[in-house]
Amino acid sequence: MKTQHKKRKKKRIRTILIIDFVLLLLAGGCIFYILNGKESDDTATELNGNNEIQEESSKDSSGDNGNASETSEDIDDSTITFADLAKYSYSFSSGAGGWEDDFDIEKDGYFHGSYHDSDMGDTGEDYPDGIRYYCDYEGHFENIQKVDEYTYKMQMKDITILNDDKEYIADGVKYVPLSPYALSGADEVDIYMPGKTVSEIDEQVQRWLFIDYQEQQDTLENLALVNVAENQGIVSSERISAKKEAEGFYNTTENSYDYYSDMLSEALTTADMVEITSSQVRISDDCLNNIWRVIKYNTDEVEFNKILEEQRQWLKDRDAKAQESADEYDGGSFASVAYNDTYASVTMERCKKLLEYIE
């Protein structure tokens, strides 16, 4: 694990150097243009990991997280709240299609995200398609405080890694768990509002925010976060609607589920069938949890409590139905396949049904 962190550290330094080089080229181009072209033109964005119902839900009667309806300019910077931050999605990345850490913040300060990286050139006999590094996490921010007109700060209350710490191989890829990157050691996170003077922002943070020097940007155009401990800038983008977010989870999972179904139809051994259906259970559970979170933060309290009771009963019925499928094989080697297959298929059906509760 320490080796992977060293690799990540080196990759981060390499990314910064690349960004510096590109900025130098851009700056040189600007100077050339100014010196040679000035005379001709001077005006030139619940359930836990085991599908267990979580009791706490900080909800309001509006049932709206403000997704995709307002821009950075619509935020009243004298009353910034977590509900305002929930209007955006956040990303910390290399900017070149490599590693990326994305997360969302909800209106009660809860956040959830995932980090991924890959090395397709690092292969082995059991993983010919390379290595993928990953981390799923969640936690809570608290105590937003105003620093100045364009700056706020908040504290991280807690952060939890959701995936286990074991490596595994699936579909020719070796999956290696890591720790969160964007929020690593982030006891304090600064919030930079649109309009903040760029010259007041640390140069390294500017690079992470991909501020366009070529256009001589004087003030920050979009809301940004800063991991103070690591001096890392985190960009924001307008968050998609709750409906599209949930549908995205479902459609992506459905494609993966169908892929595993095709594999299952060609599997020759029970062991292979167990492995394939276990993957279907895993992805269907993830889909259910993601859609449930969207419901939790985007329905009013009365409606949510109604769905919650329905969900509790459904969980009992699903588990019972899966067990019935397994019991048909009297504990034989195929019992696990039957259990997994029923569990996953019923869960996918429920995910599709839950989409109807999101407007």
Side-chain angles (χ1 to χ4, degrees), residues 302-318:
V302 173
E303 181 67 11
F304 177 75
N305 287 334
K306 177 182 176 181
I307 302 170
L308 179 61
E309 289 303 314
E310 178 183 298
Q311 186 72 2
R312 285 173 172 153
Q313 184 59 52
W314 173 83
L315 287 170
K316 295 177 182 178
D317 294 341
R318 178 199 61 183

Side-chain angles (χ1 to χ4, degrees), residues 88-347:
Y88 302 91
S89 291
Y90 302 90
S91 180
F92 179 60
S93 71
S94 64
W99 57 265
E100 187 169 6
D101 193 337
D102 303 308
F103 63 92
D104 292 318
I105 301 173
E106 303 298 348
K107 57 190 174 184
D108 59 357
Y110 168 75
F111 64 85
H112 48 91
S114 63
Y115 163 68
H116 64 83
D117 192 6
S118 60
D119 188 347
M120 310 317 290
D122 190 347
T123 62
E125 183 177 350
D126 296 330
Y127 51 99
D129 295 326
I131 296 178
R132 181 178 177 85
Y133 303 99
Y134 72 100
C135 180
D136 297 314
Y137 58 89
E138 67 181 5
H140 298 83
F141 290 120
E142 63 180 357
N143 193 25
I144 297 179
Q145 296 176 300
K146 187 170 184 176
V147 177
D148 57 44
E149 183 178 5
Y150 295 107
T151 310
Y152 288 77
K153 65 180 180 179
M154 59 184 175
Q155 278 69 49
M156 180 186 290
K157 181 179 180 181
D158 57 68
I159 185 169
T160 302
I161 296 176
L162 299 177
N163 50 270
D164 59 35
D165 59 354
K166 297 180 180 179
E167 298 180 1
Y168 68 93
I169 296 175
D171 307 326
V173 177
K174 182 178 182 180
Y175 289 84
V176 178
L178 290 178
S179 57
Y181 196 4
L183 299 175
S184 175
D187 294 329
E188 180 180 312
V189 174
D190 285 347
I191 306 166
Y192 289 170
M193 303 298 296
K196 185 176 180 65
T197 303
V198 168
S199 61
E200 297 176 353
I201 301 175
D202 182 89
E203 290 185 2
Q204 181 174 318
V205 173
Q206 290 185 39
R207 297 181 194 115
W208 286 120
L209 297 179
F210 307 106
I211 292 177
D212 194 343
Y213 281 44
Q214 190 173 16
E215 296 180 1
Q216 298 180 335
Q217 182 176 332
D218 295 324
T219 59
L220 195 62
E221 295 179 354
N222 300 300
L223 183 145
L225 304 181
V226 178
N227 179 341
V228 176
E230 299 293 335
N231 209 31
Q232 297 171 169
I234 301 168
V235 301
S236 72
S237 59
E238 189 174 0
R239 191 172 177 181
I240 62 175
S241 69
K243 185 72 171 180
K244 289 183 178 180
E245 187 173 344
E247 289 176 342
F249 289 135
Y250 179 79
N251 292 334
T252 299
T253 305
E254 185 180 37
N255 289 335
S256 297
Y257 187 88
D258 291 343
Y259 167 77
Y260 284 119
S261 294
D262 291 339
M263 290 181 61
L264 185 61
S265 66
E266 299 175 0
L268 300 177
T269 67
T270 301
D272 288 339
M273 293 179 185
V274 171
E275 181 178 352
I276 293 168
T277 54
S278 294
S279 294
Q280 289 181 313
V281 167
R282 173 176 53 81
I283 64 172
S284 63
D285 267 346
D286 287 344
C287 184
L288 183 65
N289 291 330
N290 286 329
I291 293 176
W292 184 259
R293 184 178 62 244
V294 176
I295 289 176
K296 174 181 177 181
Y297 286 102
N298 293 277
T299 54
D300 62 55
E301 186 173 2
V302 173
E303 181 67 11
F304 177 75
N305 287 334
K306 177 182 176 181
I307 302 170
L308 179 61
E309 289 303 314
E310 178 183 298
Q311 186 72 2
R312 285 173 172 153
Q313 184 59 52
W314 173 83
L315 287 170
K316 295 177 182 178
D317 294 341
R318 178 199 61 183
D319 293 348
K321 189 172 183 179
Q323 188 59 52
E324 287 176 6
S325 296
D327 290 343
E328 292 180 8
Y329 294 91
D330 297 323
S333 60
F334 203 78
S336 294
V337 176
Y339 183 95
N340 290 345
D341 185 59
T342 300
Y343 182 106
S345 62
V346 172
T347 300

